[in-house]
C-alpha cells in the first residue's frame, strides 16, 4: 500500500503535475517487445478493420486523448495474455496507428499515460485498462460480486477517505474489466424498409429487451431475454396484434453494474449506466459477444421493420458509469477526464446535473462529436429510427444554464441524418433551471409529465378544477403551440419504466421498494396513486373489479388524447411490480413481463380493449390531429372543431373551468380536419363525444343537441369488462343518459 508520506494532502504534498504516482502493490509492469505499428490515420475514431498499404489487412486504431503523454493499444489473446503496442502518431489530439494482422474478433483496450493531479482534474493512470469510447462490441463483464478495487484509478480503501481519490492505484485492472472487440460489418441495409411512421400516427410502446421475452412461452428458451428473442415471431406477433407503431427500447448501449448493487446481489436492470455508446449491450445477445451481438441487433431491427414497427432507443448521453471522483476508471475518466466531464471550480469534483455522479461536457467539440458520431452510427449502420434522450436538459446546457441555442441542439438541428429521425426529449435534469417541459425547439417531441400528473389526479378525483385536464386531453397547446410545433410534440403517458406500473398505480398508495435493499428510501413518494380501498393484492372482488375499471379508464383516456400516446410493456396485461416504483435493479420476475396474465379473462379483456382503442385511433384522424384545435366555428350554425360540455349538456363557461368537477364532456369534430391526405383531398372523419366521469357514483349527462349531433352511438363504455356489450346502443341528442361511476363513454355522432 502507499505510505502516508506518499499521499498527496489536499493543500500540499508533491508539486502539482509532478506525474509521480503513489506506488500501490509494486512497480509498473514492463512492456514486452512488440511488433512495429504503422502510422495509420486519425480518422475514423475507434478500431476499424480495413486493408492497409500494399493490400495488407489489419486494424486502424484512433483515440482522442488531448492531454495524454503516451497511448498504448493493448491486444488480448484467448487466454487473456496482453500485448501492448505504442501509438506514436499524434494528429490533432488523436493518437493513431495501423496494426497489420489484427482481425475482426480481436479483443483490445487502451492504456493512457499522463499527469496524476486530481486537484486540476488530471487523472491519467496507465495501470488501468480503458474501454475504447468507439468500441462497436464489448466482451466480458465485471465481477458478479462487486467491482474489484483494481478497477479504480485511486486507492479505494485509503485510510483517509477524504483524500482517497487523490492517491493513484498502480494495480493492473486488465483482468477485471471488459474489452473492446474489433468488428467488421459492411451490411448496406439494402433489403430493409423503414416504416417511417408519421409522428401523428405513432403509438409508442416502451419495453425492456430482456424483460419483454424472459418469460415468454412462445420464444425458445435459449433466445429469451435477447435481441433474437425480441425478433422472434411470437414476440412480434404481440406487438402487431396490439397495434403499436414503435418500440422504445430501454438502454441497449453497453452499460456497467454499480458496485453497491453487485455487493447486494443485484444488478442494474434498466441500463441507465452507459459505458459504450457504440456497442449493443453484450448480455442481451444470444449469438455471442465477440462481435456477433452487432449482427443480432441488426436482425432484430430488420424483423421489427418488416412488421411495420419502428425502433427507438432510450439513450443516456448525459453521464457515464464512471460516476464521480470516487467512481471507477473504466474509459473516459482515464482517457481525458478534464476533456470529457464537467468539473466544478474545485476540479477534483464533478458537476452533477444527473444525480449519477458526473455529467458529460457536451459543449466541448470532442464530446459533442462522440455523441453525434454515436447517434449517426445507430441510424445509418444499425438501422434505428429515433432516440429518446434521458435527462435531455443536461445535454442542452451551455456552460451552466439550459440553453435552447446550445451546441448540442444546434448540431442536431442541422445534421442531415439526425434531423430526419424521431427525437424525444426527457425535458428535465436535476440541476437548477433543469425543468424544461414545453421549451425544446421544433423537430423535438417531449415526454409530457404534466399530462401524466393531470390524468392520474383526475381519475383519483384529486384535481381542484378541470382546466389542466382540458389542456392535456386536447394536445397541450399551452405548452407546445409555438414556433411551428404541433400536437405531436407531446408524448402523452400515464406510466413509464420509472414509477408504478399501471396496475400498481391503482393498487398501491405507497411505494414498496424493500427488495431494492435501501430500506424503502429510494423511488419517488409523489405517485399520485389510489389503491381503490386496499393496499396491494386483495381477495376483495369489489376492489379488484374497481381496479380493472380504473385501468380501462386510464388507458382509454390516454388513447383518446391528442398527442403521441406511449404505453409501457405489460400495462395492457395488468403487469405488477408488487408496488416497487423503482425497479431499476430487479432483473427478475419483478421486472419481467408475466405472459401468463394473457390466460386470465380479466387481463385478456384489458389487452383486447387496448388493442381495440389503438385500432380506433388508427382509423380516425380526428383522434390523431396534426394541428391544434382552433375552438372557432367551422360552420354557420356554430359547429366548432373542439367543444367542452358540462353534465348539464351546456357548453362550459369560464367559471366552469375553475370549479371542481368530476365530469367532463369533450366533443371532437371530424367535419373539417386541418391538412390534406396524400392525394391532396380534405380530411373528413366521424365526430365523437367523450364523457369522462371520475365520481364515485353514477351521474346523468345530457347529450348536446344540434349543431353537434342528432344521435349518438356508444363505441366504448369502460364500465363494462367485455366491450362487445357496448357498441350499438344509440341515444338521441338532448337525452339524459346515465354515466356509470368512474367510467369513460365514447360516443360517435350517428
Amino acid at each position: 500500500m502507499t505510505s502516508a508520506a506518499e499521499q498527496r494532502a489536499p493543500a500540499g504534498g508533491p508539486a502539482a503535475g509532478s506525474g509521480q504516482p503513489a506506488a500501490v502493490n509494486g512497480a509498473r509492469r514492463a512492456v514486452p517487445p512488440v511488433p512495429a505499428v504503422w502510422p495509420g490515420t486519425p480518422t475514423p475514431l475507434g478500431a476499424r478493420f480495413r486493408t492497409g498499404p500494399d493490400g495488407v489487412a489489419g486494424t486502424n486504431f484512433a483515440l482522442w486523448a488531448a492531454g495524454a503523454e503516451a497511448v498504448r493499444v493493448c491486444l488480448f489473446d484467448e487466454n487473456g495474455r496482453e500485448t501492448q503496442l505504442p501509438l506514436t502518431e499524434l494528429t490533432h489530439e488523436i493518437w493513431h496507428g495501423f496494426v497489420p494482422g489484427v482481425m475482426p474478433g480481436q479483443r483490445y483496450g487502451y492504456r493512457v499515460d499522463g499527469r496524476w493531479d486530481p486537484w486540476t482534474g488530471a487523472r491519467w493512470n496507465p495501470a488501468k485498462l480503458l474501454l475504447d469510447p468507439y468500441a462497436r462490441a464489448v466482451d466480458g463483464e465485471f465481477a458478479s460480486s462487486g467491482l474489484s478495487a483494481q478497477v479504480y484509478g485511486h486507492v479505494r480503501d485509503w485510510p483517509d477517505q477524504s483524500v482517497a481519490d487523490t492517491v493513484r492505484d498502480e494495480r493492473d485492472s486488465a483482468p477485471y474489466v471488459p474489452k473492446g472487440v474489433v468488428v467488421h460489418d459492411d451490411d448496406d441495409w439494402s433489403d430493409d424498409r423503414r416504416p417511417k411512421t408519421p409522428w401523428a400516427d405513432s403509438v409508442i410502446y416502451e419495453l425492456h429487451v430482456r424483460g419483454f421475452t424472459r418469460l415468454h412461452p412462445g420464444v425458445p428458451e435459449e433466445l429469451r431475454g435477447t435481441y433474437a428473442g425480441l425478433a422472434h415471431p411470437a414476440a412480434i406477433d404481440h406487438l402487431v396484434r396490439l397495434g403499436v407503431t414503435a418500440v422504445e427500447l430501454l438502454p441497449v448501449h453497453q452499460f456497467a453494474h454499480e458496485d453497491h448493487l453487485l455487493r447486494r446481489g443485484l444488478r442494474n436492470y434498466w441500463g441507465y449506466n452507459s459505458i459504450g455508446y457504440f456497442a449493443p449491450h453484450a448480455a442481451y445477445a444470444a449469438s455471442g459477444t465477440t462481435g456477433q451481438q452487432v449482427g443480432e441487433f441488426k436482425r432484430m431491427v430488420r424483423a421489427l421493420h418488416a412488421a411495420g414497427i419502428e425502433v427507438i432507443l432510450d439513450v443516456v448521453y448525459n453521464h457515464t458509469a464512471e460516476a464521480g471522483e470516487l467512481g471507477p476508471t473504466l474509459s473516459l475518466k482515464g482517457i481525458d477526464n478534464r476533456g470529457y466531464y464537467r468539473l466544478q471550480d474545485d476540479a477534483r469534483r464533478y458537476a452533477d446535473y444527473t444525480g449519477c455522479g458526473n455529467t458529460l461536457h457536451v459543449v466541448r467539440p470532442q464530446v459533442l462529436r462522440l455523441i453525434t458520431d454515436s447517434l449517426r452510427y445507430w441510424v445509418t449502420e444499425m438501422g434505428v429510427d429515433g432516440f429518446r434522450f434521458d435527462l435531455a436538459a443536461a445535454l442542452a446546457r451551455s456552460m451552466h444554464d439550459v440553453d435552447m441555442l446550445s451546441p448540442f441542439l444546434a448540431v442536431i438541428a442541422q445534421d442531415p441524418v439526425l434531423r430526419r429521425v424521431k427525437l424525444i426529449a426527457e425535458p428535465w435534469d436535476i440541476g437548477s433551471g433543469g425543468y424544461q417541459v414545453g421549451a425544446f425547439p421544433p423537430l423535438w417531441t417531449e415526454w409530457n409529465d404534466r399530462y401524466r400528473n393531470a390524468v392520474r389526479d383526475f381519475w383519483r378525483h384529486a384535481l381542484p378544477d378541470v382546466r389542466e385536464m382540458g389542456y392535456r386531453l386536447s394536445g397541450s397547446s399551452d405548452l407546445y403551440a409555438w414556433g411551428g410545433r404541433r400536437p405531436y410534440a407531446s408524448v402523452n403517458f400515464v406510466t413509464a419504466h420509472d414509477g408504478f406500473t399501471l396496475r400498481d398505480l391503482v393498487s398501491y398508495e405507497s411505494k414498496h421498494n424493500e427488495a431494492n435493499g435501501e430500506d424503502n428510501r429510494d423511488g419517488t413518494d409523489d405517485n399520485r396513486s389510489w389503491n381503490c380501498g386496499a393496499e396491494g393484492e386483495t381477495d376483495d372482488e369489489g376492489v379488484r373489479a374497481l381496479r380493472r375499471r380504473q385501468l380501462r379508464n386510464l388507458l382509454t383516456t390516454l388513447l383518446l388524447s391528442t398527442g403521441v400516446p406511449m404505453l409501457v410493456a405489460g400495462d395492457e396485461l395488468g403487469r405488477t411490480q408488487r408496488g416497487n416504483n423503482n425497479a431499476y435493479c430487479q432483473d427478475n420476475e419483478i421486472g419481467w413481463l408475466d405472459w401468463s396474465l394473457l390466460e386470465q379473462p380479466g387481463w385478456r379483456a384489458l389487452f383486447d380493449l387496448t388493442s381495440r382503442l389503438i385500432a380506433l385511433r388508427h382509423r380516425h384522424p380526428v383522434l390523431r390531429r396534426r394541428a391544434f384545435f382552433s375552438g372557432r366555428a367551422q360552420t354557420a350554425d356554430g359547429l366548432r372543431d373542439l367543444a367542452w360540455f358540462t353534465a348539464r349538456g351546456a357548453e362550459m363557461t369560464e367559471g366552469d373551468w375553475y370549479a371542481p368537477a368530476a365530469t367532463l364532456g369533450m366533443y371532437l369534430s371530424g367535419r373539417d380536419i386541418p391538412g390534406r391526405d396524400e392525394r391532396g383531398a380534405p380530411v373528413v372523419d366521424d365526430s365523437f363525444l367523450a364523457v369522462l366521469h371520475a365520481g364515485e357514483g353514477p351521474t346523468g349527462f345530457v347529450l348536446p343537441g344540434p349543431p353537434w349531433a342528432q344521435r349518438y352511438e356508444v363505441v366504448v363504455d369502460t364500465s363494462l369488462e367485455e366491450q362487445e356489450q357496448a357498441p350499438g346502443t344509440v341515444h338521441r341528442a338532448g337525452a339524459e343518459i346515465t354515466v356509470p361511476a368512474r367510467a369513460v363513454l365514447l360516443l360517435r355522432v350517428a
Side-chain angles (χ1 to χ4, degrees), residues 362 368 372 395-396 403-416 418-419 441 443-444:
V362 182
L368 188 58
T372 53
L395 300 173
D403 178 6
M404 292 304 159
L405 298 176
S406 67
F408 172 74
L409 294 177
V411 167
I412 296 292
Q414 59 79 43
D415 189 283
L418 301 180
R419 69 187 315 273
L443 294 183
W444 287 83

Side-chain angles (χ1 to χ4, degrees), residues 2 51 86 112 129 291 362 392 430 485 569 598 600 609-610 696 713:
T2 305
T51 301
V112 182
L129 187 77
V362 182
I430 69 166
R485 303 188 80 183
L598 265 177
Q600 302 175 29
L609 172 64
T610 308
E696 61 182 13
E713 178 187 7

Side-chain angles (χ1 to χ4, degrees), residues 432-494:
S432 176
Y435 186 76
Q436 294 290 324
V437 172
F440 275 71
L443 294 183
W444 287 83
T445 65
E446 301 175 16
W447 271 25
N448 187 349
D449 67 331
R450 288 184 61 176
Y451 178 93
R452 175 198 65 197
N453 295 346
V455 172
R456 289 186 179 192
D457 283 346
F458 179 82
W459 285 111
R460 67 190 183 109
H461 205 3
L463 280 178
D465 54 52
V466 290
R467 287 175 298 160
E468 185 76 1
M469 192 65 172
Y471 275 123
R472 304 308 146 231
L473 289 171
S474 58
S476 296
S477 59
D478 59 327
L479 299 176
Y480 302 112
W482 63 273
R485 303 188 80 183
R486 300 297 185 93
Y488 46 78
S490 176
V491 173
N492 299 331
F493 66 103
V494 179

Side-chain angles (χ1 to χ4, degrees), residues 218 407 442 505 707 748:
L505 190 68
R748 183 178 63 84

Side-chain angles (χ1 to χ4, degrees), residues 126-415:
K128 308 306 168 184
L129 187 77
L130 306 174
L131 186 66
D132 181 1
Y134 280 75
R136 299 195 171 190
V138 176
D139 180 58
E141 282 199 271
F142 299 106
S144 60
S145 59
L147 299 185
S148 301
Q150 287 88 340
V151 306
Y152 291 80
H154 64 281
V155 182
R156 187 174 64 167
D157 54 355
W158 186 253
D160 184 355
Q161 282 292 296
S162 67
V163 292
D165 69 289
T166 69
V167 184
R168 191 161 77 171
D169 187 310
E170 290 294 312
R171 290 172 289 190
D172 183 12
S173 70
Y176 308 96
V177 295
K179 315 298 189 293
V181 180
V182 176
V183 173
H184 178 61
D185 193 308
D186 57 0
D187 196 330
D188 63 4
W189 289 88
S190 60
D191 60 340
D192 181 65
R193 295 293 179 269
R194 295 177 184 260
K196 297 183 179 179
T197 306
W199 259 125
D201 301 340
S202 297
V203 178
I204 298 173
Y205 189 73
E206 187 191 45
L207 67 81
H208 190 286
V209 168
R210 177 169 166 80
F212 187 68
T213 62
R214 186 64 186 84
L215 299 176
H216 198 303
V219 175
E221 178 66 36
E222 66 274 13
L223 301 183
R224 295 178 188 175
T226 68
Y227 305 119
L230 181 53
H232 191 273
I236 291 179
D237 179 64
H238 180 80
L239 302 173
V240 172
R241 286 188 294 117
L242 187 58
V244 298
T245 67
V247 291
E248 182 175 303
L249 306 182
L250 266 68
V252 296
H253 288 163
Q254 186 71 34
F255 63 86
H257 303 288
E258 294 92 329
D259 181 68
H260 70 91
L261 292 178
L262 294 174
R263 293 183 182 278
R264 295 203 301 269
L266 300 170
R267 297 164 66 83
N268 187 314
Y269 173 56
W270 288 347
Y272 291 90
N273 206 38
S274 299
I275 196 62
Y277 290 130
F278 291 78
H281 189 61
Y284 298 161
S287 54
T289 61
T290 54
Q292 299 92 337
Q293 60 265 54
V294 177
E296 184 176 330
F297 184 93
K298 290 182 177 182
R299 290 189 292 274
M300 175 197 73
V301 172
R302 277 189 171 87
L304 289 163
H305 282 178
I309 298 170
E310 295 184 304
V311 178
I312 298 170
L313 302 188
D314 193 336
V315 289
V316 189
Y317 294 113
N318 54 77
H319 74 280
T320 75
E322 293 184 298
E325 60 272 11
L326 296 178
T329 297
L330 309 175
S331 182
L332 306 181
K333 185 181 289 186
I335 294 171
D336 194 323
N337 185 57
R338 294 176 299 190
Y340 277 109
Y341 292 117
R342 289 180 180 267
L343 304 179
Q344 298 182 26
D345 292 339
D346 173 3
R348 268 182 67 192
R349 313 298 184 192
Y350 292 75
D352 183 8
Y353 297 108
T354 67
C356 300
N358 64 54
T359 306
L360 282 176
H361 206 332
V362 182
V363 173
R364 294 186 180 275
Q366 185 53 39
V367 181
L368 188 58
R369 179 182 179 183
L370 171 67
I371 294 172
T372 53
D373 282 353
S374 169
L375 292 169
R376 282 189 291 267
Y377 170 74
W378 287 97
V379 173
T380 60
E381 298 193 41
M382 301 296 273
V384 307
D385 305 286
F387 305 94
R388 178 266 186 188
F389 292 82
D390 180 66
L391 299 181
L395 300 173
R397 289 183 181 272
S398 290
M399 293 311 295
H400 298 288
D401 296 333
V402 178
D403 178 6
M404 292 304 159
L405 298 176
S406 67
F408 172 74
L409 294 177
V411 167
I412 296 292
Q414 59 79 43
D415 189 283

Side-chain angles (χ1 to χ4, degrees), residues 537-673:
E537 295 303 306
T538 178
D539 294 328
D540 187 323
E541 184 52 41
V543 171
R544 294 168 66 175
L546 175 56
R547 289 174 177 176
R548 292 193 298 272
R549 180 182 295 199
Q550 286 289 79
L551 292 181
R552 296 193 292 272
N553 292 334
L554 291 163
L555 285 169
T556 301
T557 303
L558 175 65
L559 291 166
L560 295 182
S561 298
T562 300
V564 179
M566 185 186 78
L567 301 165
V568 177
D571 275 354
E572 76 280 12
L573 305 178
R575 185 177 78 89
T576 178
Q577 291 177 171
R578 306 170 197 167
N580 193 320
N581 74 352
N582 190 34
Y584 78 105
C585 56
Q586 297 299 326
D587 187 6
N588 49 46
E589 287 82 357
I590 294 176
W592 303 338
L593 200 154
D594 179 5
W595 290 95
S596 70
L597 293 167
L598 265 177
E599 302 169 5
Q600 302 175 29
W603 300 125
R604 178 63 193 224
L606 186 67
F607 170 83
D608 291 341
L609 172 64
T610 308
S611 177
R612 188 163 176 264
L613 287 165
I614 293 175
L616 185 75
R617 186 180 181 90
H618 288 324
R619 287 197 306 271
H620 291 286
V622 72
L623 300 178
R624 44 186 173 82
R625 289 172 57 99
R626 288 163 166 75
F628 287 106
F629 295 98
S630 69
R632 295 188 295 270
Q634 297 176 302
T635 60
D637 58 7
L639 182 71
R640 293 191 297 281
D641 58 358
L642 174 69
W644 302 95
F645 293 90
T646 68
R648 303 183 305 277
E651 287 193 68
M652 292 182 66
T653 65
E654 185 74 12
D656 290 328
W657 285 111
Y658 287 85
T663 309
L664 182 64
M666 177 177 67
Y667 183 95
L668 306 173
S669 173
R671 179 81 63 90
D672 186 14
I673 301 172

